Amino acid sequence: MKKHLIILLLACGIAQAQEYFPVSDDISAVSTTVRAIKNATIVTKPGTTLKNATILIKNGKIEAVGSNVTIPQGVVVIDGTGLFIYPSFIESYSDFGMKKPERAERGGSTQWDEGRKGYYWNDHIRAEQRAIDGYKYNDDDAKKLVEAGFGVVQTHMPDGLARGNGLLVTLNTDSDDSERMLNLMSGNFYSFQRSVQTAQVYPTSLMGMTAVLRQAHFDADWYSKGFAKSKDLTLEALQSKKALVQYIDAGEKKNVLRADNLGDRIGKQFVIIGGADSYEMIDDIKATNASLIIPVNFPDAYDVTNPYQEWYVNLSDMREWKQAPSNPMALNKAGINYAITTDGLKTPDLLMAKIKKAIQYGLTKDQALAALTTQPAQIIGASASIGSLEKGKLANFLITSGELFEEDTKIYENWVQGTKYVIKDRSVKDIDGTYTTMVNNMPYSFKISGSGKSIEVKTDSIKLGSKIDYKSDWLTITTSQKDAEEKTFTRFVASINSSSDNITGTAYLPSGNSVAFTATKSTAEAEEEKKDKEDKEKDTPITLGKMTYPNIGFGNDKKPVAESVLYKNATVWTNEKDGILKNTDVLVVNGKISQVGTNLKAGNARVIDATGKHLTSGIIDEHSHI
């Protein structure tokens, strides 16, 4: 009896082990975890499109993808006829799931020294921070990102000059962290922003922050050679994370250059977050050889209808509004590697509109897709598992109604690690459009948009108050209007028929009576509106306006270049023992004073007649924080 019991327990243990760690290579043996979507148009990566193709998903990964995939027996098959499949997006810079750092209380006295023992002397260097310590998966934020098209996010604690390492996670809400976490040490993060967790005063300027970052790395190198007599956990962390991808949040274009110069000094090639205005210094940005993670929070148009408000809008602001959407295109044209981030947007759902704006300014759809998939995957070092649809990679993909980034295309589903998340139910009919009907001898016009979420109702060209609710094939439209100081309501209720373009139901009138109605879809009007919009966009080419250097009022039309200049007959203040020299020439070559004297030969130099003018060395401010 005991022998049989032991055999039974062993069998149960083997069965459980096989269920938790499937070892069978027979794909049909685990059909509950295998799905196939066939007859779809599959874009496996930017520039590669497969027609009438199949994608096979097993245990959260892509088992096969192609036009000649054999679907095994027992697999759940989904017909993807008319649908498009794309890789899900990757968010490479985020604070997703991070606990907000607690702001340090500032006492009555100024804190100069560090507040932590055993760590670096400057509390704004927090390289020992680990993203995992402050992380908790946030269902609500994950839902917003998934609905915007994202499947993976790199997150970190956004606090301090040195911020510690990041964390790479999937947005698979139906799973747990044991499956979601792809990399616990995904990168090492820096910034030009102080920590809120300390009251330590220094540094206060950009110059000081750069100096502290530079010194911390010099100190870490010195520490690693065994010279220190005490332990420093911060310096140990700096050294231990040297092999990770190094990120720095720089911001505007000049700080991008400063960040790269810092990297050159300390032996790092940073991935730089920022450069939304790179188009203004594209050659200098290109020369850094850095990959960028760029925001696309292009400014909205300024309201200048009021002439008094107009005075408060600078020319540089207007140029930024006009030219900023061209930044992604300019980066591609210059051959600069970059990823796009939602950082800086109020909500992730604004991303698609910004991308479409950039496409209007010259960015191609393939380039946009690359900046959201393959390029961020390459930048964060995760191309082996995400970024494209290939055998062995995570089953992270979007199912759309048409070509991605087209005006009318809708994202139906976002699959993350093989788990389907419905963004817009494909089985629910799309009722967007313009409809007309006659109810109680009154003409009504319904203009429905936003996948049945928005409506505009008019009667005899008078706009009515209106609300719409569309769920599970049931439509309710409520209108309101004032009549003789009294607000009245009319409610239209209909069950949507998938085989008809018209809407048929019952209208409940203010009197309490109800009448049947049929609202006819105005297809011709909708097509005409669409054509008019396309023609307008085609006939109105995007113009970026004038670019100057610097790109503000009174900037130069061309970039100033170093040249040889001969100043003739000036009064020269030498600030040396020679004193003030009258009627003297100064020759400048390659940015330096070559000769000072009389009757100098110009050669190829440009000649400036400085008769009656004074020439002196520039003024030096010996202590500045600009």
Side-chain angles (χ1 to χ4, degrees), residues 569-574 578-585 596-597 615:
N569 302 320
T571 298
V572 179
W573 296 53
T574 66
D578 293 333
I580 301 172
L581 306 177
K582 295 185 179 295
N583 300 319
T584 300
D585 304 341
V596 177
L615 222 169

Side-chain angles (χ1 to χ4, degrees), residues 581-619:
L581 306 177
K582 295 185 179 295
N583 300 319
T584 300
D585 304 341
V586 177
L587 178 63
V588 177
V589 179
N590 294 327
K592 292 186 177 182
I593 297 171
S594 175
Q595 296 181 59
V596 177
T598 57
N599 299 316
L600 298 181
K601 302 297 182 183
N604 295 325
R606 181 162 64 95
V607 178
I608 295 178
D609 183 6
T611 302
K613 305 294 191 296
H614 291 248
L615 222 169
T616 181
S617 55
I619 297 172

Side-chain angles (χ1 to χ4, degrees), residues 32-35 37 55-63 86-90 96 135 137 142 146 149-153 168-183 385-389 392-398 413-421:
T32 55
T33 62
V34 183
R35 296 181 186 179
I37 304 172
I55 185 168
L56 200 61
I57 309 142
K58 177 184 179 183
N59 296 334
K61 292 186 177 181
I62 297 171
E63 181 68 16
Y86 291 84
S88 296
F89 304 154
I90 300 166
F96 170 78
Y135 166 80
Y137 190 83
V146 167
F150 290 91
V152 171
V153 58
L168 190 66
V169 298
T170 69
L171 298 169
N172 186 0
T173 301
D174 289 351
S175 184
D176 57 40
D177 285 338
S178 66
E179 291 187 1
R180 285 192 291 249
M181 292 188 181
L182 303 181
N183 190 345
S385 59
I386 56 177
S388 60
L389 305 180
K393 293 191 176 184
L394 294 184
N396 291 2
F397 57 87
L398 307 174
E413 296 161 12
N414 188 353
W415 292 53
V416 182
Q417 288 181 295
T419 300
K420 178 176 71 173
Y421 295 94

Side-chain angles (χ1 to χ4, degrees), residues 543-558:
T543 56
L544 299 181
K546 185 179 182 181
M547 177 83 74
T548 61
Y549 305 92
N551 202 22
I552 58 177
F554 307 108
N556 298 293
D557 290 334
K558 296 181 179 179

Side-chain angles (χ1 to χ4, degrees), residues 160-163 190-195 205-211 213 248-252 254-263 270 272:
L161 299 175
R163 298 174 164 186
Y190 301 89
S191 78
F192 289 138
Q193 298 171 18
R194 290 154 33 99
S195 171
S205 67
L206 178 59
M207 183 188 298
M209 293 174 197
T210 305
L213 281 168
I248 185 166
D249 187 351
E252 56 92 25
K254 291 180 181 177
N255 278 357
V256 170
L257 303 181
R258 292 183 177 106
D260 186 68
N261 285 333
L262 170 65
F270 284 117
I272 303 175

